[in-house]
Each structure stands twice: as C-alpha cells, then as structure tokens.
Amino acid sequence: MRFRTSLLALALCAATPARPTADPIHKIRHVVIIMQENRSFDSYFGTFTGADGIPMRDGVPVACVPDPRGGACVRSYHDPQDRNRGGPHNARAAVADIAGGRMDGFIAEAEHARRQCRDPNAPNCAGTADVMGYHDERELPNYWRYARDFVLQDRLFEPNASWSLPQHLFMVSEWSARCERLGDPASCVNELQFPDFPNDFDPRNSARHGPGRPDYAWTDLTYLLHARHVSWAYYVMAGTEPDCATNLDDCATVPMNAHTPGIWNVLPYFDTVKRDGELRNVRDLRDFYAAAKAGTLPSVVWIAPSAAYSEHPPALVSLGQAYVTGLINAIMRSPDWNSTAIFLSWDDWGGFYDHVVPPRVDSNGYGLRVPGLVISPYARRGFIDHQVLSHDAYVKFIEDDFLVGERIDPATDGRPDRRPTVRENAQILGDLRRDFDFTQKPRPPDILPGGILWNGTTAQ
C-alpha cells in the first residue's frame, strides 16, 4: 500500500506544472512616461558617442539636403539657439521629409510652410533652415548626463507618421481613428491625420459632427488597467496648447488644464474612461509632485506639459529641460524611486532632420525617429539600445508588468474594433526589458542641478 501511495504521489507531482519563477519585471511597480514635444533623434543626440547619429566624414556631416531656394544644399550644423522653429510635422510632411527613403525633404517642407505665414518672421512661423540644426551637450547637459548614466535608445520611432494628436491617441490606445457612431468601437475607422479634433482645438468640431464629439470609442489601455485594478493617472500642466497642427503664425493658442481635454490630453474623450468613472484620474500636475513626495505614485503615470515647458517650437529648449529635470529629481527623491521606471521621449520629430529611414509596420507608420531615455534604479549604466522600438514598447512593457501580457486586442478584450494591427505584437518591436539589469542592486538617485518645479502658476 505504501508503495502504491508513493507512486500516486509521484504521478500527481508529474501532472502538476511547476510554478513559474517570478518575473523580475515586477520589481518595477511604477512606470512614469514623460512625453515632451517635437524633436528628432539627430536634433538632440546626433553627435552622442556610440549612437547612430548624424553620419560624419572627417568631422563633417555627410548628408546635404537640397534647398529649394537655390544655391548650395544644407548640411547638419551645431545650433546653439535656445529657441527653434522646426517645420511641418503632419502626415503629409512625414511623407515629404522621408522622400521615398532619401531623407532629404526637410528644408523644402520648412520653406513651404514659411511661404504660408502672414509674417515669415513671426515666432510661431515654421520654415527656417534650423530644421538642419542640432544641439549637443552644451545646450542639453542634463539630457546627455541621463544618456551617459542610464539608457539611450537610438532606434525609437514615433508610432505613427503624423502629428501630436494621433501620437497621443497611440500613446494611450495604440490607434488613431474616427468613429462613425457614438459609443460604437466597431464603427471606428483608421484615421492618421484627422481623427476627431478636441473642441478647444477646433471649435467647429461639434458643429460639424453634432453633440458628443469628439468621441473616442475604441479601447484604450486604461480599460485593461481598470479591469485588473491597476492604478493610473494622467497629470496635466495647466497653461496653453501649441498653436495648431500646421504650426503657422495665424493660429491662436488655447488654454489647457486637467479639465480641458485637448490634443495633449485625450483620455477624457475615451468612452472607456468615462464609463469606468475614471475621469478623476486626469489630474493637475501639482498632484504628481505631492504623490512622488508621499510615495503614493500610481502604477502607471503619464505626464503632459504645457506649451512653454514642452520644447515644442518656439518654446525654449532650456526651460523644457529644466522642467523635465525637476520631474525626474522629484521621482528620485521619492520613496517610490527604487521601484520606478521612467520613460522619457518626445512625441514627434517636429520637422527636424533625421537620417534614419523609418521601418514600415502597417498603414500608420512607424514615423520618424525621436529621442528616448530609460531612467531607473535597475536601468543599465551607459547603455545604448539599438533595438527597433516605438512608443508602442511602453504599452507592451506596462502590459507585461501589470496585465500578465494582456494586449489591447479587439479579438480578446471584448470591444471589437477595426485597428489594422495589434501593435504590441509587431515582430519588429523590441523589448524594453533589455534596458534593465534586474540582478543589480538598485542604483541610488542621481539628482541633477537646474531642475524646476511647477506650482500651478510659476516654476521655482
């Protein structure tokens, strides 16, 4: 009998699957996405040692981009100016800049925009040759310090080849669409350039489409987070949004805060956020500083700036860097630092030159390269990540960390829509886990000088 009992016990052990080892990704209990505005990789890190930057020969940039005004072509050059203008950065401009893979349409696009301005010298008028200019450590000391001390990504692409509104929709939902019927995700169709505009961005939106617009009826990441009781917050700095999608001088700025949905604050227009009763999670930026200080950061955090601090031309580069440094310093001083990953990036290329041809994923992109930094006590030191990435990788990391790998997938999430692909599953997309060494002892904070905190009216 004892022998038969032993055999039965062995059989039961063989039939019971072994418990998987704990995934070290779960050492990260807070993911903070800081999204700045309108810079290409080459414009910020094109001369960073070891990165795939501006091609040089004997210290001289190789590529020379045609200038439609005639005369010589224009090579990349160091630009010490704190205020830039950039160029057009919508879906049409992306096609023109990429120019079939030649990557030489940047000046022509900038000059085309300049001709459309009533005043070509107005601060908000795009169209100067500064699209070929680049900054380096002299203008970006803290960003370059983060790149040396933590992780720099030199193959991070905007997830879609278009402007801010589609990118921010992708950032929280992996899609940009227009929905034919209110509240019906199955009625949403792909729209890379003209999804429903927020009413403060285009007051004619509700008049054209009736009440209830804009309506983002497809599924966003917060729907999955809410279902699994994962905390999140989208922190918004009060101020203004940029002029308009075309970046011309005749576009007025519009107010922005946590209670005014806009092109940088899209979640309040998602049906899932409203139906789940989570509008309260779109919060004032001051609440972020308080949560960081108290050690009560949510699991998933997005942070959106106002125009003056965004680095969106014509905003000052120095002011944006100081604001971002203040955010990162606040996290590093927080009790949550030892369990946090910060993903810092810029939403689109802003019309600035980049030499790398974006890979083709589906009908929406990828778009042009943007800078990306990973800052964490578990981040590799001085590591340059050459994987092909996009902002989709942020969503993938969050899903792997907090949702057991569940995806925003119309075939499985119970809300069918017509998105062309499940972006997190794209074979070309790299894995952000490679940017971490979860075996290392958590690294101490690296508090940098020059950071400023925003208190609701001023920076200090």
Side-chain angles (χ1 to χ4, degrees):
M1 174 67 74
R2 188 167 54 190
F3 178 71
R4 291 171 57 188
T5 303
S6 298
L7 286 177
L8 178 61
L10 288 172
L12 287 173
C13 288
T16 303
R19 294 183 62 184
T21 57
D23 189 336
I25 194 176
H26 301 314
K27 290 184 177 182
I28 301 300
R29 298 195 296 274
H30 310 277
V31 171
V32 180
I33 298 171
I34 302 172
M35 190 58 62
Q36 291 293 98
E37 295 288 320
N38 290 48
R39 302 288 164 167
S40 71
F41 184 88
D42 278 346
S43 72
Y44 266 18
F45 291 98
T47 58
F48 190 89
T49 301
D52 182 5
I54 301 165
M56 300 275 190
R57 183 179 297 118
D58 298 326
V60 177
V62 173
C64 200
V65 174
D67 186 339
R69 295 170 298 183
C73 57
V74 180
R75 300 181 189 275
S76 297
Y77 64 94
H78 176 245
D79 182 1
Q81 297 301 315
D82 198 13
R83 190 185 305 279
N84 302 131
R85 295 185 179 181
H89 44 279
N90 55 23
R92 185 197 62 79
V95 173
D97 284 353
I98 295 169
R102 298 188 305 276
M103 306 303 290
D104 66 358
F106 298 87
I107 294 178
E109 277 301 291
E111 288 302 324
H112 176 74
R114 184 177 175 84
R115 289 194 297 271
Q116 297 181 62
C117 291
R118 293 179 302 176
D119 176 6
N121 296 312
N124 287 351
C125 176
T128 65
D130 73 2
V131 296
M132 297 302 296
Y134 63 82
H135 300 295
D136 61 21
E137 190 170 11
R138 286 168 283 186
E139 297 79 46
L140 304 171
N142 287 4
Y143 289 157
W144 278 48
R145 172 73 175 269
Y146 293 137
R148 284 197 302 269
D149 288 354
F150 296 97
V151 177
L152 174 66
Q153 299 158 330
D154 69 357
R155 281 289 191 282
L156 178 68
F157 297 88
E158 182 189 1
N160 62 89
S162 195
W163 60 291
S164 285
L165 177 56
Q167 188 279 341
H168 281 72
L169 292 171
F170 264 85
M171 183 174 69
V172 298
S173 76
E174 299 288 58
W175 199 25
S176 174
R178 177 185 292 272
C179 303
E180 298 173 2
R181 295 182 298 275
L182 296 178
D184 182 3
S187 75
C188 303
V189 295
N190 199 71
E191 180 49 67
L192 185 59
Q193 178 60 28
F194 296 109
D196 269 2
F197 289 162
N199 290 326
D200 62 353
F201 182 73
D202 183 356
R204 300 167 299 171
N205 197 67
S206 58
R208 282 200 301 262
H209 302 295
R213 297 287 183 174
D215 177 54
Y216 303 145
W218 63 95
T219 305
D220 70 282
L221 182 59
T222 72
Y223 175 75
L224 304 183
L225 297 175
H226 175 75
R228 289 189 175 268
H229 308 288
V230 178
S231 60
W232 65 270
Y234 194 103
Y235 294 104
V236 180
M237 177 191 281
T240 62
E241 286 182 333
D243 41 19
C244 68
T246 52
N247 202 34
L248 303 182
D249 66 336
D250 58 352
C251 298
T253 57
V254 293
M256 181 182 78
N257 59 52
H259 304 293
T260 57
I263 62 172
W264 294 350
N265 181 20
V266 297
L267 279 173
Y269 286 129
F270 274 89
D271 289 353
T272 55
V273 175
K274 292 179 283 189
R275 292 175 183 176
D276 289 341
E278 299 216 304
L279 285 171
R280 65 185 181 278
N281 290 349
V282 180
R283 309 181 68 171
D284 188 277
L285 181 62
R286 287 170 292 189
D287 294 343
F288 161 78
Y289 296 115
K293 184 175 183 179
T296 58
L297 285 173
S299 297
V300 179
V301 170
W302 294 273
I303 302 179
S306 66
Y309 298 85
S310 68
E311 298 162 66
H312 185 298
L316 298 178
V317 171
S318 60
L319 191 56
Q321 180 178 227
Y323 149 74
V324 170
T325 301
L327 295 175
I328 295 173
N329 284 349
I331 296 169
M332 288 184 170
R333 291 188 174 106
S334 170
D336 291 327
W337 163 244
N338 275 355
S339 57
T340 297
I342 303 169
F343 300 146
L344 168 60
S345 190
W346 286 255
D347 72 337
D348 64 53
W349 81 110
F352 291 102
Y353 174 74
D354 194 81
H355 79 279
V356 174
V357 181
R360 185 75 172 179
V361 178
D362 56 24
S363 56
N364 290 316
Y366 295 148
L368 283 87
R369 263 194 329 170
V370 291
L373 293 161
V374 175
I375 301 165
S376 171
Y378 292 103
R380 297 183 185 275
R381 184 182 297 274
F383 179 63
I384 299 179
D385 186 349
H386 301 302
Q387 296 181 95
V388 173
L389 298 166
S390 78
H391 296 148
D392 301 329
Y394 299 167
V395 176
K396 179 180 178 180
F397 187 93
I398 290 167
E399 292 167 341
D400 289 347
D401 192 1
F402 301 109
L403 302 175
V404 200
E406 185 178 2
R407 305 297 187 220
I408 308 175
D409 184 346
T412 61
D413 62 24
R415 304 187 78 251
D417 59 41
R418 292 184 277 179
R419 64 185 66 212
T421 53
V422 178
R423 276 301 191 85
E424 306 96 298
N425 291 337
Q427 289 187 353
I428 197 174
L429 183 66
D431 191 338
L432 291 181
R433 295 171 196 244
R434 297 184 186 178
D435 294 345
F436 298 85
D437 178 1
F438 290 116
T439 67
Q440 71 185 13
K441 182 179 179 181
R443 296 167 53 186
D446 186 13
I447 306 295
L448 299 189
I452 56 176
L453 302 181
W454 182 82
N455 66 11
T457 55
T458 60
Q460 54 185 358

